[in-house]
Amino acid sequence: MRNVSKTYFDAAGTPHVALDGIELEIHENEFFTLLGPSGCGKTTLLRLIGGFEQPTSGSIAIFNEEMAGQPPEQRPVNTVFQHYALFPHLNVRRNIGFSLEMLGRDRAEIADVTDRMLGLVGLDAMADRMPDQLSGGQRQRVALARALAPQPKILLLDEPLSALDLKLRQKMRLELKALQRETGITFVFVTHDQEEALAMSDRIAVLADGRVQQLGTPEEIYDAPANRFVADFIGGSNLLEARVSARGRVRVSDLGELDAETGQVESGKPVTLCIRPEQLVLSASGADGIGPFQVIDRTYLGNAVAFHLKAEGQMVTAHMPRGGARGQLDFQPGDQVYADFEAGALRVLIQ
């Protein structure tokens, strides 16, 4: 994608920019995710790749072939939609083989490919069932098998897990990633679910306001967010307002000074500090870390306890694992605590 933009016009002729100068290169055989909140442009971008819409400006090339004006059926792409769109009057086998029939493949090839797809998604025993006789997860597998049957070079997935319950979504994440590895097809996956993106992707493009905010591996996106939006959107984050006090030092209100990588930021400039809740360690002593904070509330999370803290207008959440030191979990609302973390855990974001 080279400088791809898409503008829509409402009934009054007012322009609305959905995508603004997108520059992306998706690699062959990778699981690539477009991640962002509703209205950020990720589904629009997916539709442009698939040929369901054309860009207002810029160009899209697939395997070095320009796609300008090419309709969906002439692109080496197939799509799994959010609601699967199975044919209710066709059984599982016929649904999977339908696209091959439309391509004019002979019956023997259709039967062979359909059997292979049924085995790939684990639905051999359900080949003769109708869609309304299947669970949500089974219908999703049929949609996947149908999209994979023509062997596209790229598979586009538009939030295909959003209609499933939590347990089934978690199971299907593993199955989708395994399918991608087994088939070697490039998957371009759209979601607003950060956990989904982190769990499955080789690389992630985080979108907001029609622009790419950051591109990288799940580890890069989570551990080194490029800006405040990415830090706030991906996972749980503590964002603290601070000022650079000297090279390599930042001051957080009256809570103390911290060592941090400030780069070329001048002394006195405002910055935002990002630290993940699981990276904080709480103690009753002020010898280490910053504080004091007051414990406002505590939440039981099963494998951890979340402590919600406040001081000097700064709100902080710390996740303390239940397998850690017992004393770290004994704090109650009203207690005074200090927060510490390991070197390198703090990320300085320029405002």
Side-chain angles (χ1 to χ4, degrees), residues 38-156:
S38 297
C40 71
K42 56 189 184 296
T43 295
T44 298
L45 188 52
L46 198 78
R47 291 177 62 81
L48 294 180
I49 297 170
F52 300 104
E53 297 187 40
Q54 296 294 322
T56 304
S57 62
S59 65
I60 297 174
I62 297 177
F63 295 98
N64 297 318
E65 181 182 350
E66 290 292 332
M67 291 290 112
Q70 292 272 38
E73 65 272 15
Q74 292 181 15
R75 301 188 182 204
V77 170
N78 220 334
T79 306
V80 177
F81 297 100
Q82 186 172 352
H83 299 295
Y84 315 145
L86 299 181
F87 300 110
H89 62 292
L90 301 180
N91 64 18
V92 168
R93 179 180 294 279
R94 290 288 309 281
N95 260 285
I96 294 173
F98 180 81
S99 59
L100 300 175
E101 292 180 26
M102 293 299 98
L103 291 170
R105 307 287 174 81
D106 62 57
R107 290 185 179 182
E109 182 184 356
I110 293 172
D112 180 60
V113 172
T114 301
D115 286 342
R116 200 150 30 87
M117 291 299 109
L118 285 166
L120 189 64
V121 297
L123 291 177
D124 307 74
M126 301 182 184
D128 296 324
R129 291 193 185 182
M130 304 301 285
D132 62 3
Q133 297 174 310
L134 304 175
S135 68
Q138 290 164 347
R139 286 197 293 271
Q140 198 243 23
R141 287 183 194 151
V142 176
L144 277 169
R146 183 179 63 183
L148 290 168
Q151 296 182 304
K153 291 183 178 180
I154 302 168
L155 186 65
L156 308 178

Side-chain angles (χ1 to χ4, degrees), residues 213-214 225-235 237-242 271-274 276 314 347-351:
Q213 303 295 314
Q214 187 170 358
N227 56 38
R228 185 176 180 126
F229 173 82
V230 177
D232 194 30
F233 187 73
I234 304 294
S237 296
N238 293 304
L239 300 175
L240 301 173
E241 305 305 326
V271 293
T272 298
L273 305 181
C274 172
R276 301 295 184 182
Q314 308 268 18
R347 180 76 176 174
V348 177
L349 307 174
I350 310 303
Q351 293 187 350

Side-chain angles (χ1 to χ4, degrees), residues 31-35 187-191 197 200-201 203-206:
F31 198 121
F32 189 92
T33 296
L34 300 170
L35 172 67
F187 277 27
V188 182
F189 186 85
V190 160
T191 184
M200 294 190 294
S201 311
R203 289 191 304 149
I204 300 169
V206 183

